[in-house]
Amino acid sequence: MAKLSFREALNQAMDEEMARDERVFLMGEEVGHYDGAYKVSQGLLAKYGERRVVDTPITELSFAGVGIGASMVGLRPIIEMMTFNFCILALDQIWNNAAKMRLMSGGQYNVPIVFRGPNGAAHMLSAQHSQATENWFCNVPGLKVVSPATPGDGKGLLKAAIRDDDPVIFLESEIMYNDVGEVPDAEDHVLALGKAHVVREGKDVTLIGYSHGLKAVVAAAEALAKDGIDAEVIDLRTLRPLDMETIARSVRKTHRVVTVEEGWPFGGIGAELAYRIQHALFEYLDAPVTRVTQLDMPMPYAENLEAACLPNARDVIAAARAVSYRT
Amino acid sequence: MATIVEMPRLSDTMREGTIGAWHVEVGGKVSSGEALADIETDKASMTFESFDDGVLLAQLVAEGDTVPLGTPICVLGEEGEDVGELVEELKAKVEAAKAGGDTGAEAGAETEAETGAETETGAGAGAETGAEAGAETGAETEAGAETGAAAEAETEAEAETEAGAAPPIDVEAPNEVRCAAAGGGATERGPSRAPGPSQARREGATSPAAAAAASGGASAGLPPAPEDEDGVRVRASPLARRVAAERGIDLLSVEGSGPRGRIVVADVEGLPPAWKMRAGVPQVEARADETVRVTQMRKTIARRLVESKQTAPHFYVSCTWRAERLADLRAELNEAQDTVKVSLNDLIMRAAVLALRKHPEVNAGWEDKVIRRFGSVNLGFAVALPQGLITPVVRQAERLDVVSLALAVRELAGRARDGSLEAEDYSGNSFCVSNLGMFGVEHFTAIINPPAACILAVGAVRDAPVVEGGTLRAGKLMTATLSCDHRVVDGAMGAAFMQTLGAFIESPLRLML
């Protein structure tokens, strides 16, 4: 298996899909001549030309709309958001058009489009540029939301997202673009959307995470193992639709759940998971479902405060111990 | 100008009243003399008519709720009048009255439980607010106080458990959803509540896998957590409850090792099956305890009977009499007239009236400084209703012949069953008759029903061997027991009365005179 960085894996996914299907094109701020703000689109302009790698003005709402329109008439756009903080400007197009067009046209139009880019806190970007937006998108019926945690998953899931006939919000992590991981050599590595992945099997407590947050989860699981708590780790991979089957299988075994996310707590991914788990698996629970989240406040700029604000392995360990009645 | 309507006194013995039903909706017009509400008193349900004209601006007491006399129950006024503040104030008063007015142990426990739940909700909401305030001001202290992760998660988890465990939540869920959708203030409580079933359906539609997982794990059969003798619910995790149920373990006998004594699965797993015996016993469908609201009537019965049994020194005189002639007389009487079907009990009551006329010392009551010998026989008789016992009183029963007495008894018993007795219909008996013969009861004793000093407990007329002139033959017998208040009636007095009564029963033609 090849070892690739996250940005290389994503680049490969787009490259392969553009080569495979000429309807696929990339559009966004600085995706072309600058090779992408985070170099994810490196080399694509040279390879596919300006018709298929389109630099846009700084007008998220407009190019999101152009992309949705293009998808309605048969193309398969990938819209790069320089970060999802900027994507807030495009929410009207995404919520009102991308998510609803298929329903409101009575199925005449579908919207095979991918909005991708970095999401969540990176490093000292302060309150306005550190947002974890996943729960906003997950709240909208009609959207699929994907957030990979490894380069290999990034490639397989992005390829699946590009091939999907519905709008997909594809959330990457700026601080993971340099992460190196194994990427299957298979000629066509595609992972199914809507399937979670059991990263580590265990019997004592289920830890659920995704994207960058999964790092804290895996580290916590290793520390807990030394302490005699055998944690099962689930990487959600897709946040909507949720793979409740995989989660249920795990909870029936462990009876304890900790959810981990880097977004805010109120109405977050953990809130949804906690609801679904208690509703479907009530009598399998030996402890309240517990979540670990970012603090309920705008992100501070200072490095130490940012770190204090974000969940880390220590928080996950404490939560796992609490639900295991091992405090 | 708003008028505050208070819980009225509708009977002499009434101390508190229950709103049975409101006849006027909030916003509805009512004029003087129109029915405002049904009020359940200690004995009967009565219609409460408005004294004023106006619009009903607020109902302060919900249907089924009980408040002491004088507690505000609603506000009348002019259409559109703003009484918001007044209503808040009055509601607080009602709550205080309710809390202070309930003396029963169960009521006390209920109040405690409710308060506890509210406190916890309040604490959760407070924490949220604190976090928000901190966010707005960017206060570091808030960040320090809540780690956002584990520590906060734990507190929150506890709060959520509380909310999740409380049975009324499911019922309230749809309401919550509505509130949240309307953007109301209820959203703060929203997150810890289960959304309504409609949401689950929608999700099922978009995500079949999730729906399958959900239905596969549906928690239909989980038994409720047991309550101890004091009605305190055992704290146990859902899994611990399921495992305990599967193994026949009585959670009341298990010590919990979790937070605040929560029983977790580790506490039940190690126990041998049928800990504190349950298994091995034939599987009978478990039936949970239920609590039944104590009605006004039941409260009165409880209060008055305890009072009677504890203050009146009871003694009992039993006699068994031949009853063939009484039974024959009844048959003949019912052939001779069709005004009313006379019962054996009617005849026995008539016999009691006649015997009491001969023994005025028994037709009496204790009044501390004096003994009252009642001038008339105000004859009480016990009527069993689904909700309790009531003893209507036939006034001046000595003026009624057998048929008239039977008619009066039918009329009062009918109104007792309708709940339409007035206070004077069931108070002030000078003597009382209670008959359980229809249940085949041969002999029993009754508790004296004040102000009377005696009550006659009548058993069934039964076929029995009797000795007549040295010969054994088949006959009919009945046994009656007089309960006497020894302060008023001595043994010999009670016995003499019973002798007279027995003579009327055994030679019943005199009942017709």
Side-chain angles (χ1 to χ4, degrees):
Chain A
M1 254 194 279
K3 292 224 174 212
L4 295 179
S5 71
F6 221 119
R7 70 160 53 82
E8 289 166 334
L10 296 174
N11 182 282
Q12 266 190 8
M14 289 194 288
D15 189 2
E16 285 176 21
E17 291 308 298
M18 287 174 82
R20 178 178 168 271
D21 185 346
E22 61 174 11
R23 295 172 301 171
V24 177
F25 71 99
L26 175 66
M27 182 160 65
E29 292 157 4
E30 315 221 60
V31 295
H33 292 282
Y34 189 63
D35 273 338
Y38 297 104
K39 307 299 172 216
V40 177
S41 56
Q42 195 152 32
L44 295 181
L45 175 67
K47 191 165 174 184
Y48 296 101
E50 286 186 343
R51 259 191 96 243
R52 296 185 66 193
V53 179
V54 184
D55 277 325
T56 67
I58 304 176
T59 55
E60 285 79 5
L61 182 65
S62 308
F63 66 77
V66 168
I68 292 164
S71 73
M72 287 168 63
V73 294
L75 299 182
R76 305 186 80 89
I78 305 167
I79 306 298
E80 180 174 304
M81 291 292 168
M82 192 179 285
T83 88
F84 268 82
N85 299 288
F86 308 150
C87 186
I88 296 168
L89 290 157
L91 287 187
D92 178 51
Q93 280 294 342
I94 297 174
W95 287 24
N96 275 327
N97 291 333
K100 298 184 179 122
M101 191 51 65
R102 187 168 152 201
L103 175 104
M104 295 185 73
S105 69
Q108 294 180 77
Y109 293 107
N110 57 350
V111 182
I113 190 169
V114 176
F115 294 94
R116 53 152 288 272
N119 173 60
H123 183 224
M124 296 177 72
L125 295 178
S126 191
Q128 294 167 312
H129 288 174
S130 302
Q131 334 235 26
T133 60
E134 58 267 33
N135 59 328
W136 307 0
F137 293 107
C138 283
N139 194 234
V140 183
L143 298 182
K144 291 176 181 170
V145 182
V146 178
S147 197
T150 67
D153 287 0
K155 181 176 178 183
L157 291 169
L158 182 54
K159 282 166 71 82
I162 293 166
R163 292 182 195 185
D164 199 273
D165 283 337
D166 289 318
V168 177
I169 308 297
F170 194 88
L171 303 170
E172 301 154 13
S173 167
E174 185 187 325
I175 38 179
M176 288 170 80
Y177 282 135
N178 277 333
D179 285 7
V180 174
E182 289 184 339
V183 178
D185 297 322
E187 200 173 306
D188 203 15
H189 169 56
V190 181
L191 292 171
L193 302 185
K195 290 280 173 214
H197 173 55
V198 178
V199 176
R200 180 186 197 281
E201 293 203 4
K203 59 177 178 28
D204 294 334
V205 56
T206 300
L207 309 178
I208 304 176
Y210 57 91
S211 189
H212 185 257
L214 194 72
K215 288 188 173 186
V217 175
V218 171
E222 282 162 12
L224 287 164
K226 288 181 195 139
D227 204 16
I229 296 178
D230 186 13
E232 177 143 311
V233 176
I234 294 178
D235 175 6
L236 288 176
R237 284 183 174 168
T238 300
L239 306 184
R240 182 176 179 127
L242 277 172
D243 180 3
M244 285 308 293
E245 231 169 320
T246 299
I247 292 169
R249 208 176 300 126
S250 179
V251 175
R252 287 200 186 99
K253 180 168 62 173
T254 65
H255 313 304
R256 293 160 186 83
V257 187
V258 174
T259 71
V260 182
E261 67 198 291
E262 295 191 340
W264 291 311
F266 198 114
I269 303 299
E272 178 67 17
L273 285 168
Y275 163 70
R276 294 203 191 195
I277 291 167
Q278 63 81 24
H279 190 77
L281 300 159
F282 185 65
E283 70 212 66
Y284 290 91
L285 289 174
D286 198 33
V289 177
T290 295
R291 59 183 177 175
V292 176
T293 70
Q294 186 194 140
L295 285 193
D296 195 13
M297 58 181 288
M299 186 64 76
Y301 169 73
E303 192 168 25
N304 58 337
L305 294 182
E306 180 178 43
C309 209
L310 287 168
N312 57 34
R314 210 179 56 238
D315 300 326
V316 181
I317 292 166
R321 292 181 64 90
V323 299
S324 306
Y325 302 117
R326 293 265 301 266
T327 43
Chain B
M1 181 64 194
T3 308
I4 300 162
V5 181
E6 296 175 344
M7 176 59 75
R9 178 187 290 275
L10 297 173
S11 84
D12 285 346
T13 51
M14 176 175 173
R15 294 177 179 186
E16 51 186 25
T18 303
I19 300 291
W22 283 104
H23 285 303
V24 183
E25 299 280 311
V26 172
K29 281 198 177 130
V30 64
S31 343
S32 167
E34 272 181 18
L36 200 51
D38 284 345
I39 293 180
E40 237 185 296
T41 71
D42 47 353
K43 284 286 187 183
S45 175
M46 303 191 191
T47 303
F48 175 42
E49 294 168 357
S50 179
F51 296 111
D52 302 284
D53 300 334
V55 171
L56 184 66
L57 297 174
Q59 295 170 351
L60 304 168
V61 178
E63 291 183 1
D65 278 4
T66 304
V67 292
L69 293 187
T71 307
I73 57 170
C74 67
V75 179
L76 296 179
E78 284 164 20
E79 198 159 358
E81 198 173 338
D82 181 18
V83 288
E85 247 179 61
L86 175 69
V87 166
E88 285 313 306
E89 202 177 295
L90 291 173
K91 276 188 176 165
K93 216 183 255 183
V94 171
E95 286 310 310
K98 269 200 230 167
D102 279 335
T103 49
E106 198 187 330
E110 253 173 43
T111 316
E112 206 173 296
E114 276 165 24
T115 317
E118 274 163 27
T119 312
E120 265 157 301
T121 316
E128 294 275 3
T129 319
E132 275 162 26
E136 275 164 29
T137 58
E140 289 169 36
T141 43
E142 286 296 332
E146 293 190 37
T147 68
E152 187 223 8
E154 194 179 15
T155 334
E156 198 171 76
E158 295 299 342
E160 280 172 2
T161 322
E162 291 318 304
I169 301 305
D170 276 349
V171 182
E172 285 180 20
N175 215 353
E176 290 286 340
V177 170
R178 258 210 315 279
C179 293
T187 42
E188 256 188 332
R189 287 163 64 202
S192 61
R193 305 267 171 143
S198 60
Q199 183 176 339
R201 276 202 302 280
R202 284 203 300 276
E203 284 162 0
T206 53
S207 169
S215 63
S219 45
L222 192 60
E227 290 178 359
D228 68 13
E229 289 160 350
D230 303 325
V232 178
R233 192 173 184 274
V234 166
R235 308 175 63 87
S237 79
L239 179 65
R241 276 157 57 194
R242 179 166 65 91
V243 170
E246 281 167 5
R247 300 188 187 183
I249 292 167
D250 181 0
L251 284 175
L252 281 169
S253 65
V254 179
E255 206 169 318
S257 67
R260 289 180 289 165
R262 181 188 302 151
I263 297 169
V264 300
V265 75
D267 301 325
V268 290
E269 254 171 0
L271 297 175
W275 172 255
K276 293 275 176 183
M277 57 172 291
R278 275 273 188 93
V281 176
Q283 285 299 309
V284 179
E285 190 196 342
R287 193 179 290 173
D289 293 357
E290 58 174 336
T291 55
V292 177
R293 189 171 70 90
V294 175
T295 58
Q296 284 305 325
M297 185 184 246
R298 185 92 349 242
K299 279 186 195 172
T300 307
I301 292 169
R303 182 169 54 78
R304 298 201 44 186
L305 292 183
V306 167
E307 215 169 83
S308 166
K309 193 74 199 265
Q310 283 180 348
T311 57
H314 285 53
F315 75 90
Y316 309 95
V317 179
S318 289
C319 285
T320 297
W321 300 307
R322 299 283 296 272
E324 298 91 347
R325 292 171 71 183
L326 191 71
D328 290 346
L329 175 67
R330 172 180 178 244
E332 279 178 48
L333 200 53
N334 283 332
E335 266 179 38
Q337 55 84 39
D338 50 14
T339 310
V340 61
K341 198 173 174 209
V342 174
S343 69
L344 281 169
N345 198 50
D346 295 330
L347 293 174
I348 292 163
M349 285 174 72
R350 171 69 179 157
V353 171
L354 293 175
L356 286 166
R357 293 297 282 181
K358 294 196 170 199
H359 295 270
E361 71 280 4
V362 174
N363 191 44
W366 178 258
E367 291 184 4
D368 283 327
K369 296 220 169 79
V370 294
I371 289 169
R372 179 175 301 277
R373 288 190 177 166
F374 295 98
S376 287
V377 177
N378 293 326
L379 190 60
F381 62 99
V383 177
L385 302 174
Q387 64 270 35
L389 186 74
I390 196 159
T391 51
V393 178
V394 181
R395 304 270 154 197
Q396 298 184 305
E398 70 276 9
R399 299 203 305 189
L400 305 175
D401 63 17
V402 168
V403 170
S404 309
L405 180 64
L407 282 172
V409 166
R410 294 299 171 283
E411 194 264 338
L412 284 165
R415 287 206 282 132
R417 277 186 277 272
D418 296 347
S420 64
L421 289 178
E422 307 285 333
E424 65 263 25
D425 293 329
Y426 53 75
S427 49
N429 74 130
S430 66
F431 186 87
C432 196
V433 174
S434 177
N435 190 332
L436 291 178
M438 59 291 246
F439 296 104
V441 170
E442 207 167 286
H443 164 259
F444 72 106
T445 62
I447 296 176
I448 295 163
N449 182 30
C454 293
I455 183 167
L456 187 72
V458 181
V461 169
R462 60 191 190 271
D463 293 321
V466 294
V467 179
E468 216 173 54
T471 317
L472 194 64
R473 55 172 291 247
K476 284 182 193 296
L477 295 178
M478 65 168 283
T479 301
T481 303
L482 187 70
S483 308
C484 307
D485 181 346
H486 215 321
R487 296 172 300 181
V488 179
V489 176
D490 295 328
M493 282 159 73
F497 168 78
M498 287 296 271
Q499 195 175 26
T500 306
L501 181 61
F504 280 113
I505 300 277
E506 295 193 333
S507 308
L509 200 56
R510 283 189 287 168
L511 301 181
M512 306 309 295
L513 297 175

